Each structure stands twice: as C-alpha cells, then as structure tokens.
Amino acid sequence: RDLIDEHPHRIAIECDRPREMAKALVDIDSIQGFTFPRDGVVELRTQKPDTCYSAIVPRALEADIKIRGLTSPDASLEMLFKYLVGEAD
C-alpha cells in the first residue's frame, strides 16, 4: 500500500465539457495536473484521490456539467503490478 501511495492516482471523468470540468477543479491543491486523453474525457493526477472524488460531483453540479462516467485507470491488478516493478508512467 505504501508503494502505491507514492505514485499519483489518475481519475478519468467522462463528461460533456471536459475543459470546463478541469477549470472547476483546478483550485484543489492535491491535483497535480490534467490531461485530455480523448474527446469527452478529462483525466487528473492526484496523491489524494479521496479528496478529489468528494469534490468532483458537487463542482460538476455547480458548473452544470453532466458526468457520464468516473473511473480510475490505475485501479487494476495490472497497474498495481506495473507500479511495484517500476514500469508504470
């Protein structure tokens, strides 16, 4: 668990306005950055995923952004293995 917590967690938000979603979350200190891996998705990196998960829905509602999906690309056994052996980004 300690080894995993050393790596930033990714949270992918599938929504109708990904750039506006990033703007709505940009002031959260625990967010280390945003990417836009494909149309309709903003992905954030954080060391504190619980803080981010609890902020996403209220901020989306406040900005009238419709969320279609919320996933963590890191939440798999394959990614766990890659982190532990040093192969993950």
Side-chain angles (χ1 to χ4, degrees):
R1 174 77 185 178
D2 291 338
L3 289 173
I4 291 299
D5 287 342
E6 291 176 12
H7 298 277
H9 297 269
R10 293 178 299 156
I11 299 172
I13 306 166
E14 185 178 349
C15 60
D16 61 337
R17 297 185 343 254
R19 295 204 179 271
E20 285 80 5
M21 187 75 240
K23 288 178 189 175
L25 298 170
V26 75
D27 67 331
I28 297 174
D29 291 338
S30 61
I31 294 177
Q32 298 170 324
F34 297 94
T35 59
F36 301 90
R38 60 186 186 283
D39 285 343
V41 176
V42 58
E43 189 175 281
L44 61 91
R45 294 173 69 89
T46 180
Q47 291 291 125
K48 298 180 180 179
D50 293 338
T51 300
C52 293
Y53 279 119
S54 65
I56 290 170
V57 172
R59 301 239 180 150
L61 288 171
E62 191 175 294
D64 196 31
I65 297 169
K66 292 168 183 52
I67 295 176
R68 294 186 297 271
L70 190 62
T71 59
S72 176
D74 297 325
S76 72
L77 288 175
E78 179 181 3
M79 285 307 298
L80 173 62
F81 177 77
K82 286 181 178 183
Y83 279 141
L84 293 176
V85 298
E87 293 180 10
D89 293 334

